[in-house]
Amino acid sequence: MPVLSHRHIMMKKNSLKLPTALLFSAVLAAGCGSSDSSTPDGNGGTTNPTDPTSPTPSTDTSALSHAGKPLPQNSVNPATTALYSDIGRAKAEALPDNLAVVYEVIENHGGDAFPSGSGTSCSQLAAEYSSCSVTNLHIKDAAGVLNDGNWKLYFHSIRRILRVDSDEFSVSLVNGDLNYLEPTEAFTGFDGSVKTIGLVTEFNHLIESDFMPRYWLVSDDGTVTMINNTDDDTDESGYSVAISGDNAKSYNGEPTPIASASTRFEANADVESAASNLTALEIQSRIIPRPESVVVGTGALDIGSGFSFAGTDLSAESVAALQARQTQFMSTAAGTALSATIDASLAVNSYTLDVTAAGIAISGADETALFNGAQSLLALVQPGLGTIPVLSVQDAPRFTFRGMHVDVARNFHSVESLESLMDQMAAYKLNKLHIHLSDDEGWRLDIPSLPELTSVGGRRAFALDGEGNVSEAASLMPQLGSGPGSDNQGSGFYTSDQFVSLLRYAAARKIDIIPEFDMPAHARAAVVAMRARAVNLGDADDINVRVDDPADTSRYLTIQHYDDGILNPCIPGTYAFIGTVINDVKAMYDEAGVTLDIFHMGGDEARNVFTGGGFQDVNASDKVSYRGDITRSDWEFPWENSPACNSLIAENAGIQSREVLQPYFVKEVAKLVNDAGIPAMYAYQDIYDELDAGDLATQRAGVGYWERIATDAGYKNINEFANRGYETVVSVPDFLYFDFPQEVNPEERGYYWATRYTDTRKVFGFAPENLPQNAETSVNREGLSWSATGETNSPAFLGMQGQLWSETVRTPEQFDYMLFPRVIALAERAWSKGSWELDYAPGQTFSGDTNLVDKNALNEDYASFAAALAEKELSKLDAAGIQYRISVPGASTAAGQLSMNSDLPGLPLEYSTDGTSFLPYEAGASANGVVAIRARSADGQRIGRTETLTQ
């Protein structure tokens, strides 16, 4: 690449404005005509690329290059303003590296940063819902190596940057969360000091995992230098200042307390009390998930010499799966008599389990039911104890669909991680693994007919083109903290052979894998990959290959801040692409000998955020203070300016407007799914619009429902989908999203747009079939009571599903931490209806002021679950190598006595008087000098987060 200064590069970009515009006109003309003379060949190519009537193939690769867009600038030295902190500056100065970066939240509440009369507001800065915050970026250059000014500092920001406060630096947005900072003409050099840049960002930063890792310098000769203190996937404290004080609050006066030793102690008290009344027999006989009926007899059966599932009616593959789990905590020898037989006279999906003094007998209506009965037997085993209770179980599942969704697109998760998860899903009788295989940030499954999907879309890395712009010719640009390299979980994919193996692994554990490829939005990885494929095939603008219209000038911004990530429903390449993906995936299922019953098309958030309710036109006559001001004419709806879509609308009487394109697209995808012989297509609710299930070509259609239920629309709309014939799966974010923090504390991990926290107890207490009931037992995101009244009839839902999105989940340890033990509470609710759950009744109102739910029964039920989890199941997770979250304990130092408790009674608790060495907690310990507390894993081998006590 040529050696150019950053100023030279900027001049070259500016000088290309006219030629670029002319070139775009040529592309427009070529794109409009190419579909008339070329036809898809099924592999994303064309059958007659040399037809003399075809437009000249384009060699323009500009769609794979991205220049930065300068962000609004306030030319001021932030150190001279009130929106500046010496704390981050001092931290940067103290770091040992010559080059370092520290990120710091200054003010999380925009109204405090820009009070009335200040001349500035979050609304004027175009913040969605007029919500903004102020941060400082402190850059250290102790050796002055940056003084020449010929560099850019690239970094990730999940918050949209609204304004840059600096008289020496500018910031430009590349796309998504990728930005770069560079010196301006006014830059005076570092001279061994720290420079601070003020950033006004959209919304706020309440959890430290909001701070994305990996900042890197790029000099004008293309040399990349990682800022070492930011190169850490797990510990944000190395490159940020801890969020504290009022900045930990979502808004001034937020009633939800920041989790502390005292708040936990109070919250855990009722669970600890109820658990203390349980006998050892009650805890060991508590099967998770709870069966329909358990009758405990007298005595116990000695299993010290093991038992074996070999030679039963279970398949050899399922026996191997059971034994692989069993051997982690007990013998698999056939020392104790065991029979396991299929009994077709039993009710569908049901099983029985009988433990007597003579041995063990399991019967199941089919092999899946028999497998579930075997897992219930293993649930009775308490590691280290050589007996199980004599008892009789009769059982069947509450829901036929008991699912867990995992996003492997934002950050990749390995085959080993998925196999480990499926081992535990099977143990607790979850039977659907929904894998989110594509999104803006990655395509994770090898599609043999379309190799660019993984060679380009499966990899994130930094590269520049000859003009100094970010290039995606060989990989996606860095996102979500992946930084310049591809040696982290921002990159990766499953080969077709690996996926076939995963399908067989799942089948042995009675789990169906549901593949999801998100479309038309959240599809940027596919858009970029197919642009690259078009280039590779010789025509960069071929709409028989590309999945976006090269002539579309629609200006939009997606929820993740991309301006180019939505498939176009009006060009042939889109449907050739989808059909190829469906057929290649179906072939993998066929090879594995597994039925592909459901194809999931995603379908969420196909919109422009600037056309939503969070913004208003700056010149509107009815402006309000809670919306961001924008020039509305600067933005369009997706596809609004697509010539291909305008032609499709003009030429088809059934497509009257742009608004009809989305349901048209859904129906076309359903036809492709049906043509592949797949019985059902599922999608998220926001893609279906007014379509009924019967409008689609597939035999069945399903909806994954993800609206917040602590809103009027949220808890009501789900019944509408069920009443329109959709198989409805409850996956609401305020209770079932496991990428959310597990308590309200900045040191936890995850996003929090739907709720401030979701812990194991909250998941356990969720009522999936009576959504209004949850208004009595929970608060909304703002920490306030909410009210819900059932209005329409509610047909039975097919099931429920937990969701793990992976924007902040970058390692196997984080994967386990976010899933466990919450996923076990999910399994409990999906399999078993709590005695405290009330039947749905139209007209019934629930709120924080009602007292319809038997909360004592709920607490006692959770206490038995939590005690069994702590005494039995967590040690099994330890044996399986699962790095589950260890609950931070509660504590009180009242009257000079240390009292500690846990939401999982039975976990080992510890305290310290020096912050370094810890002692096992025992009741009656003195509080004198105690400065810190923590808990250990059930096996004592791992430690949880240490909580410092404030005296």
Side-chain angles (χ1 to χ4, degrees):
M1 125 175 211
V3 179
L4 301 171
S5 73
H6 74 279
R7 295 180 182 87
H8 189 187
I9 290 173
M10 292 303 295
M11 289 175 63
K12 286 197 70 175
K13 291 176 190 173
N14 292 334
S15 71
L16 287 175
K17 285 183 178 178
L18 181 60
T20 300
L22 294 175
L23 177 60
F24 189 78
S25 298
V27 172
L28 181 72
C32 289
S34 62
S35 62
D36 295 332
S37 54
S38 298
T39 56
D41 69 359
N43 290 322
T46 54
T47 56
N48 56 345
T50 59
D51 189 324
T53 64
S54 297
T56 303
S58 170
T59 58
D60 176 29
T61 61
S62 61
L64 294 170
S65 291
H66 305 272
K69 297 172 279 292
L71 298 174
Q73 184 92 11
N74 179 27
S75 184
V76 62
N77 180 356
T80 65
T81 72
L83 304 176
Y84 166 78
S85 169
D86 281 324
I87 296 174
R89 183 185 183 92
K91 180 168 184 172
E93 288 176 337
L95 289 169
D97 294 329
N98 286 335
L99 291 173
V101 170
V102 170
Y103 194 84
E104 179 179 14
V105 176
I106 305 303
E107 178 55 71
N108 249 335
H109 312 128
D112 292 342
F114 309 113
S116 178
S118 66
T120 303
S121 69
C122 297
S123 181
Q124 291 171 336
L125 294 173
E128 188 171 12
Y129 290 108
S130 190
S131 175
C132 69
S133 53
V134 179
T135 65
N136 282 179
L137 186 60
H138 306 283
I139 304 174
K140 174 188 178 183
D141 176 18
V145 298
L146 304 180
N147 285 344
D148 63 3
N150 296 323
W151 51 269
K152 294 178 181 178
L153 177 67
Y154 284 82
F155 65 99
H156 303 277
S157 174
I158 63 168
R159 298 288 180 250
R160 192 164 63 94
I161 298 173
L162 307 175
R163 191 183 77 187
V164 181
D165 289 352
S166 176
D167 55 0
E168 295 190 77
F169 300 96
S170 66
V171 175
S172 297
L173 170 66
V174 180
N175 213 346
D177 74 9
L178 184 61
N179 301 266
Y180 62 80
L181 175 148
E182 62 182 334
T184 66
E185 296 287 352
F187 176 58
T188 60
F190 278 85
D191 297 325
S193 64
V194 172
K195 297 281 188 178
T196 298
I197 300 91
L199 302 175
V200 182
T201 53
E202 197 169 48
F203 302 120
N204 45 27
H205 308 73
L206 302 177
I207 299 293
E208 286 157 15
S209 63
D210 287 349
F211 308 146
M212 290 286 144
R214 299 194 175 91
Y215 291 60
W216 66 102
L217 286 163
V218 182
S219 62
D220 281 356
D221 66 358
T223 301
V224 174
T225 303
M226 178 71 77
I227 305 298
N228 289 332
N229 76 299
T230 70
D231 189 15
D232 194 322
D233 276 324
T234 60
D235 185 7
E236 294 82 13
S237 68
Y239 54 89
S240 66
V241 174
I243 300 170
S244 61
D246 289 342
N247 278 333
K249 291 284 191 177
S250 180
Y251 59 94
N252 291 325
E254 182 185 21
T256 304
I258 305 303
S260 65
S262 59
T263 62
R264 292 187 208 97
F265 186 78
E266 181 178 354
N268 297 338
D270 55 353
V271 176
E272 188 88 10
S273 175
S276 68
N277 295 323
L278 296 170
T279 66
L281 177 60
E282 287 173 323
I283 293 172
Q284 189 179 8
S285 60
R286 174 57 156 97
I287 294 171
I288 298 177
R290 185 188 288 280
E292 282 185 342
S293 171
V294 178
V295 178
V296 179
T298 302
L301 175 66
D302 187 339
I303 58 167
S305 57
F307 52 74
S308 175
F309 298 104
T312 66
D313 285 354
L314 290 162
S315 68
E317 294 80 8
S318 292
V319 168
L322 287 165
Q323 288 180 334
R325 181 182 184 223
Q326 182 184 357
T327 193
Q328 294 168 350
F329 52 83
M330 67 167 292
S331 171
T332 58
T336 300
L338 182 150
S339 66
T341 57
I342 294 174
D343 181 352
S345 68
L346 292 173
V348 174
N349 298 326
S350 69
Y351 73 87
T352 64
L353 165 65
D354 292 290
V355 179
T356 68
I360 303 161
I362 310 170
S363 296
D366 56 21
E367 194 193 342
T368 297
L370 191 63
F371 183 83
N372 288 330
Q375 294 286 14
S376 286
L377 171 61
L378 294 178
L380 292 172
V381 177
Q382 186 163 332
L385 189 63
T387 62
I388 57 175
V390 168
L391 49 67
S392 180
V393 175
Q394 293 184 330
D395 198 14
R398 173 190 203 167
F399 291 129
T400 57
F401 189 113
R402 305 179 301 280
M404 187 63 224
H405 157 286
V406 173
D407 167 19
V408 301
R410 266 58 175 273
N411 282 297
F412 182 65
H413 300 291
S414 68
V415 168
E416 292 76 16
S417 287
L418 293 189
E419 288 178 344
S420 177
L421 171 60
M422 285 193 285
D423 288 342
Q424 302 311 318
M425 288 176 62
Y428 302 103
K429 307 183 180 74
L430 293 172
N431 67 345
K432 309 289 183 184
L433 177 60
H434 171 173
I435 309 181
H436 184 78
L437 286 160
S438 70
D439 211 291
D440 297 315
E441 297 81 11
W443 184 283
R444 306 305 186 185
L445 179 60
D446 174 34
I447 302 299
S449 301
L450 302 172
E452 287 85 355
L453 286 174
T454 47
S455 65
V456 175
R459 181 173 173 265
R460 297 203 296 261
F462 180 73
L464 296 175
D465 65 13
E467 301 298 325
N469 298 323
V470 173
S471 172
E472 295 187 293
S475 66
L476 301 180
M477 68 177 66
Q479 292 288 313
L480 297 172
S482 60
S486 59
D487 56 348
N488 55 65
Q489 290 189 216
S491 298
F493 64 91
Y494 309 114
T495 67
S496 54
D497 286 344
Q498 287 175 323
F499 193 70
V500 167
S501 295
L502 277 173
L503 293 172
R504 290 171 176 159
Y505 196 91
R509 288 151 182 80
K510 311 306 176 189
I511 294 170
D512 299 323
I513 289 180
I514 299 171
E516 181 204 333
F517 301 92
D518 216 343
M519 61 184 79
H522 289 285
R524 189 172 186 277
V527 169
V528 173
M530 297 307 287
R531 287 175 179 174
R533 180 166 178 79
V535 169
N536 291 343
L537 292 176
D539 186 353
D541 294 329
D542 190 348
I543 59 173
N544 294 293
V545 177
R546 285 179 61 156
V547 295
D548 65 323
D549 181 356
D552 187 357
T553 61
S554 304
R555 296 163 297 179
Y556 64 83
L557 196 73
T558 68
I559 194 72
Q560 274 81 30
H561 310 153
Y562 298 104
D563 59 10
D564 57 355
I566 301 179
L567 301 187
N568 189 291
C570 310
I571 59 175
T574 295
Y575 300 102
F577 159 76
I578 296 170
T580 299
V581 169
I582 291 171
N583 289 326
D584 278 19
V585 172
K586 176 67 162 53
M588 295 179 207
Y589 278 75
D590 292 343
E591 182 181 346
V594 172
T595 299
L596 176 52
D597 183 61
I598 297 170
F599 180 89
H600 202 297
M601 64 167 289
D604 54 322
E605 300 179 323
R607 57 188 175 88
N608 180 356
V609 294
F610 288 122
T611 62
F615 296 95
Q616 61 193 348
D617 187 78
V618 66
N619 296 314
S621 60
D622 56 348
K623 286 172 59 176
V624 294
S625 62
Y626 55 84
R627 292 193 174 108
D629 293 343
I630 62 168
T631 301
R632 179 59 182 81
S633 60
D634 287 344
W635 301 99
E636 288 87 30
F637 291 97
W639 317 312
E640 187 172 347
N641 289 346
S642 165
C645 286
N646 290 334
S647 295
L648 185 70
I649 293 168
E651 296 167 6
N652 289 271
I655 307 175
Q656 299 88 1
S657 66
R658 185 201 64 83
E659 287 74 20
V660 182
L661 291 176
Q662 183 164 289
Y664 165 79
F665 175 72
V666 174
K667 290 193 286 187
E668 291 300 303
V669 175
K671 290 176 185 176
L672 293 171
V673 173
N674 187 66
D675 289 347
I678 302 168
M681 186 179 82
Y682 277 34
Y684 299 118
Q685 84 277 347
D686 37 340
I687 192 71
Y688 282 128
D689 293 322
E690 300 304 315
L691 290 173
D692 294 336
D695 295 331
L696 304 181
T698 48
Q699 298 172 30
R700 308 180 343 260
V703 60
Y705 188 82
W706 67 275
E707 285 192 48
R708 283 189 296 164
I709 63 168
T711 63
D712 283 348
Y715 70 83
K716 293 176 182 177
N717 288 349
I718 190 169
N719 292 339
E720 173 191 342
F721 288 98
N723 284 319
R724 283 157 53 192
Y726 289 103
E727 297 175 356
T728 303
V729 178
V730 181
S731 51
V732 294
D734 27 5
F735 289 84
L736 299 176
Y737 271 32
F738 296 163
D739 52 304
F740 286 5
Q742 302 190 60
E743 65 176 15
V744 184
N745 189 298
E747 294 186 64
E748 286 294 327
R749 178 168 294 279
Y751 283 0
Y752 42 85
W753 55 266
T755 183
R756 287 288 263 126
Y757 81 100
T758 294
D759 62 6
T760 301
R761 189 175 185 180
K762 182 178 178 183
V763 178
F764 181 91
F766 177 58
E769 293 182 280
N770 186 3
L771 296 185
Q773 173 178 324
N774 297 290
E776 186 174 313
T777 58
S778 68
V779 295
N780 63 15
R781 186 194 181 280
E782 288 71 39
L784 303 174
S785 176
W786 56 290
S787 178
T789 303
E791 293 184 357
T792 60
N793 289 327
S794 177
F797 301 142
L798 183 67
M800 63 186 289
Q801 178 169 280
Q803 307 270 123
L804 179 66
W805 300 99
S806 291
E807 289 95 334
T808 67
V809 183
R810 291 186 290 270
T811 69
E813 293 78 15
Q814 291 168 358
F815 183 80
D816 285 355
Y817 182 96
M818 300 303 280
L819 283 170
F820 295 96
R822 291 188 287 194
V823 72
I824 302 177
L826 165 73
E828 174 81 7
R829 279 289 68 76
W831 184 272
S832 173
K833 182 176 181 178
S835 64
W836 39 269
E837 290 188 64
L838 302 174
D839 291 337
Y840 176 83
Q844 180 68 68
T845 297
F846 294 86
S847 73
D849 295 326
T850 59
N851 194 28
L852 302 171
V853 180
D854 188 341
K855 299 178 187 64
N856 288 331
L858 170 55
N859 181 59
E860 290 174 1
D861 195 9
Y862 176 73
S864 71
F865 167 87
L869 197 59
E871 296 291 343
K872 295 190 301 177
E873 303 310 311
L874 294 185
S875 59
K876 295 173 187 173
L877 296 184
D878 288 330
I882 300 294
Q883 308 263 318
Y884 57 85
R885 178 182 185 265
I886 302 168
S887 296
V888 184
S892 168
T893 57
Q897 179 173 311
L898 178 64
S899 300
M900 295 177 64
N901 62 17
S902 173
D903 66 333
L904 299 176
L907 278 183
L909 307 180
E910 298 180 336
Y911 66 95
S912 174
T913 57
D914 60 10
T916 303
S917 57
F918 283 78
L919 299 170
Y921 167 72
E922 294 181 3
S926 171
N928 185 37
V930 174
V931 297
I933 58 171
R934 70 186 187 190
R936 284 189 173 271
S937 58
D939 66 358
Q941 298 303 303
R942 293 188 300 120
I943 57 173
R945 192 175 79 237
T946 298
E947 176 88 0
T948 300
L949 298 186
T950 55
Q951 297 295 331

